[in-house]
Amino acid sequence: MLANNEPAGGRSRLREVSLAGSLLPWYDRHARDLPWRTGPHARARGIRPDPYHVWLSEIMLQQTTVATVKAYFERFTTRWPNITSLAAAEDADVMAAWAGLGYYARARNLLKCARAVAERGGFPQSEEELRDLPGIGPYTAAAIAAIAFDRQAGVMDGNVERVIARFHAIDTPLPGAKRSLKALVDAQTPATRPGDYAQAVMDLGATICSPKNPACGICPAMQNCAGRARGIAADLPVKAPKAAKPTRLGLAYLVRRQDGAWLLETRPPKGLLGGMLGWPSTEWSGDMPPDAPPLVADWQDPQLEVRHTFTHFHLRLALRIAQVPMAAAPIRGSFRPKAEFRPGDLPTLMRKAYDLAAPILLRD
């Protein structure tokens, strides 16, 4: 809801004011140059966005910064330039290329979605059909529909949420305000250039209407912004306090064979880091779990611990290391030859463990 102490008459006026009228001319001049984006000048010349690029970037950008995604996007599109080539890729290759981006269920769904789209001969254009594809939720479906196909779909990510909350001075705490914000986003999305409009609001939130210290003085929408008028823009959106994250404990086992091979296992397809390559480990629980080494060895405790934070908990992973002879027979995982092992293929958590243990295990 709009703030109760908004000036009389302001509520209906602000509801009628269109952001598109001020943001689209600004976007035409200041649109960010992003590798997956077809800019407004290219679109004006009839160059259409590639739905594959729009989809891939939107999946990568979930919970990840633009700066991080740029390099991954360029590597992916160089190696798999279209949806057909990605659909034909080996699971292990895609998971390795995704390593470091986090939220690994996205990578599993990426392959499922690519194969589903390739099988049907291309991306559907409506939000409803897009939502039926693996890994595509309401936000991503709206983004693809609007940006790739010029459908009048209301796109709301974190940047858009912040812009709209400030523009309308909505002070209901999140997440309770999300439904009202989405209704405003839908109502204000224009029928003309909806994709450019969605990207304009995103760009405004990323560059001017930033989380802290918004640059209201240069904002193209400042004349009609209720948050600015009331002097509360920087305080919006209001967020409910987050619950404290619990801490889980576990053990990870790093083993190097005499010939330089490393003992690795592919994690189960479901769950955290599902389908990713990693070190054998115990369960992660509130209390330190019992020791569960993957083979018989002279295990050492190097007094090293990896600390990593997931969405819902913190993890403290104590390391155990061992050097083993050629005859070592693991009961879990398999040895990967030295020439085939690339630390960069590991997810961030496992790469942290390698970085700590490798200086010890690589000593001769």
Side-chain angles (χ1 to χ4, degrees):
M1 59 181 289
L2 291 175
N4 291 331
N5 57 347
E6 186 179 329
R11 182 173 308 195
S12 59
R13 182 181 65 81
L14 284 170
R15 282 188 182 276
E16 293 171 359
V17 168
S18 169
L19 269 171
S22 54
L23 288 195
L24 284 172
W26 171 82
Y27 179 72
D28 288 342
R29 296 190 302 272
H30 301 290
R32 288 181 294 174
D33 184 14
L34 301 173
W36 49 83
R37 177 179 284 180
T38 300
H41 300 299
R43 291 177 71 121
R45 298 195 304 272
I47 300 173
R48 306 303 302 164
D50 184 339
Y52 172 63
H53 287 181
V54 176
W55 162 74
L56 180 61
S57 65
E58 290 298 339
I59 299 299
M60 287 184 167
L61 285 164
Q62 294 169 12
Q63 306 293 329
T64 311
T65 65
V66 168
T68 298
V69 166
K70 284 181 179 179
Y72 280 88
F73 177 85
E74 290 170 345
R75 284 198 295 269
F76 261 74
T77 51
T78 297
R79 188 169 183 180
W80 301 295
N82 51 52
I83 195 76
T84 304
S85 58
L86 181 60
E90 294 291 334
D91 290 36
D93 291 340
V94 173
M95 298 303 285
W98 191 273
L101 265 179
Y103 299 91
Y104 294 99
R106 293 181 297 166
R108 299 194 297 273
N109 284 328
L110 191 80
L111 271 171
K112 292 178 184 177
C113 186
R115 289 162 183 166
V117 171
E119 185 176 349
R120 74 189 307 279
F123 281 95
Q125 297 189 17
S126 71
E127 284 186 83
E128 293 74 17
E129 290 179 290
L130 286 162
R131 285 192 198 186
D132 289 336
L133 294 170
I136 295 185
Y139 161 74
T140 307
I144 297 171
I147 297 169
F149 300 113
D150 265 338
R151 296 296 183 100
Q152 191 177 6
V155 182
M156 189 172 82
D157 69 352
N159 282 317
V160 175
E161 186 177 79
R162 183 170 59 257
V163 169
I164 297 300
R166 288 171 173 174
F167 188 73
H168 291 282
I170 296 177
D171 55 9
T172 303
L174 294 172
K178 283 184 178 288
R179 182 174 294 182
S180 297
L181 290 170
K182 183 60 166 66
L184 286 167
V185 169
D186 290 343
Q188 292 203 322
T189 298
T192 302
R193 299 180 65 189
D196 283 348
Y197 169 75
Q199 293 175 108
V201 184
M202 293 177 192
D203 280 10
L204 186 74
T207 62
I208 291 177
C209 197
S210 52
K212 296 180 180 179
N213 302 316
C216 296
I218 60 171
C219 177
M222 64 179 175
Q223 296 300 327
N224 295 307
C225 178
R228 176 180 179 271
R230 292 182 54 204
I232 61 170
D235 300 323
L236 299 175
V238 178
K239 296 182 180 180
K242 292 183 178 180
K245 292 182 181 181
T247 296
R248 297 184 187 176
L249 307 174
L251 294 163
Y253 303 92
L254 284 80
V255 185
R256 187 170 182 265
R257 201 168 60 184
Q258 185 179 357
D259 63 347
W262 294 85
L263 181 62
L264 294 159
E265 66 177 3
T266 301
R267 294 181 62 82
K270 293 184 178 180
L272 288 169
L273 308 184
M276 298 298 292
L277 201 63
W279 311 112
S281 68
T282 63
E283 296 294 324
W284 304 339
S285 60
D287 297 317
M288 180 61 77
D291 203 7
L295 49 65
V296 176
D298 180 17
W299 291 101
Q300 300 176 46
D301 177 0
Q303 299 294 306
L304 297 172
E305 179 183 81
V306 173
R307 298 194 177 196
H308 191 77
T309 296
F310 291 97
T311 305
H312 300 298
F313 66 92
H314 302 293
L315 176 65
R316 293 171 56 185
L317 203 58
L319 304 187
R320 300 292 183 265
I321 61 175
Q323 297 270 15
V324 296
M326 294 296 295
I331 58 175
R332 290 165 49 201
S334 60
F335 282 101
R336 174 159 294 202
K338 178 181 178 180
E340 298 177 11
F341 173 67
R342 296 184 298 272
D345 289 349
L346 299 172
T348 301
L349 169 66
M350 301 299 176
R351 178 61 186 268
K352 287 180 180 179
Y354 173 82
D355 289 343
L356 286 175
I360 302 172
L361 288 169
L362 293 175
R363 291 175 188 163
D364 290 327

